[in-house]
Amino acid sequence: DADPDLTPGVTKRIPRDLVPFIGTGEAAFRAHFRLDGRIYSRSSTHEGNSLILCGEVDKPSSMAIPGSIQYIFKPRDGVWTFAVKQYLPASNIIDPFEPYPHFNAKLWSSSHAEHLVIIPVDKFLGHFARWRMDSKTIVVVPLTRH
């Protein structure tokens, strides 16, 4: 469950890039969110704690897409939610980790998709570790909750 010690959020006007998902008006926003003893943050607050694997808990991690939390928000009469920019797949590169299925690392582009993905806080797999190989490529290693 979410940790009640963290603030209930600050009510603010909904940013323009969230309007297509939740409409206009106001919502509660947080810089951090604690879930099952782990802290998740928006990227502008703590980049490392914003790195999550997008996907549902009951799906295999190979289906997960790494992303960075841009907003932690709760619309009126809603649930706490992450707005995430997902990383793009690496292109035109051979993934050196592919032959090693027990070492759960994968290459991804260091670029994000333009659009946001909306994910309830209970529908993601957990954090991931990121290592920049070069200016265009990152290595993603899952640090899943389950």
Side-chain angles (χ1 to χ4, degrees):
D1 279 348
D3 190 330
D5 294 338
L6 292 173
T7 64
V10 176
T11 301
K12 298 187 333 187
R13 182 176 235 30
I14 295 170
R16 192 176 324 186
D17 51 350
L18 276 180
V19 168
F21 301 102
I22 61 175
T24 58
E26 294 182 335
F29 288 86
R30 282 186 174 174
H32 306 281
F33 192 85
R34 186 173 302 180
L35 182 66
D36 298 331
R38 292 176 179 87
I39 299 289
Y40 299 89
S41 303
R42 62 184 182 203
S43 62
S44 62
T45 301
H46 189 283
E47 189 172 4
N49 282 345
S50 78
L51 302 175
I52 64 168
L53 292 168
C54 305
E56 299 206 16
V57 173
D58 59 348
K59 292 184 180 175
S61 61
S62 62
M63 301 297 291
I65 299 172
S68 177
I69 300 168
Q70 304 302 300
Y71 301 104
I72 302 170
F73 68 97
K74 180 180 176 185
R76 292 194 192 279
D77 303 324
V79 298
W80 284 105
T81 305
F82 295 145
V84 176
K85 278 200 171 181
Q86 294 179 322
Y87 284 92
L88 297 171
S91 59
N92 301 323
I93 191 166
I94 296 172
D95 190 336
F97 304 106
E98 193 172 333
Y100 305 99
H102 298 291
F103 182 65
N104 203 8
K106 184 174 168 74
L107 290 185
W108 287 85
S109 169
S110 60
S111 299
H112 290 100
E114 290 293 318
H115 62 281
L116 292 170
V117 174
I118 305 302
I119 301 172
V121 296
D122 62 345
K123 298 293 183 188
F124 70 98
L125 297 169
H127 283 296
F128 67 88
R130 176 187 67 192
W131 177 63
R132 285 196 186 277
M133 285 190 60
D134 56 40
S135 64
K136 296 180 183 179
T137 312
I138 60 172
V139 177
V140 169
V141 179
L143 306 171
T144 57
R145 301 188 287 140
H146 300 280

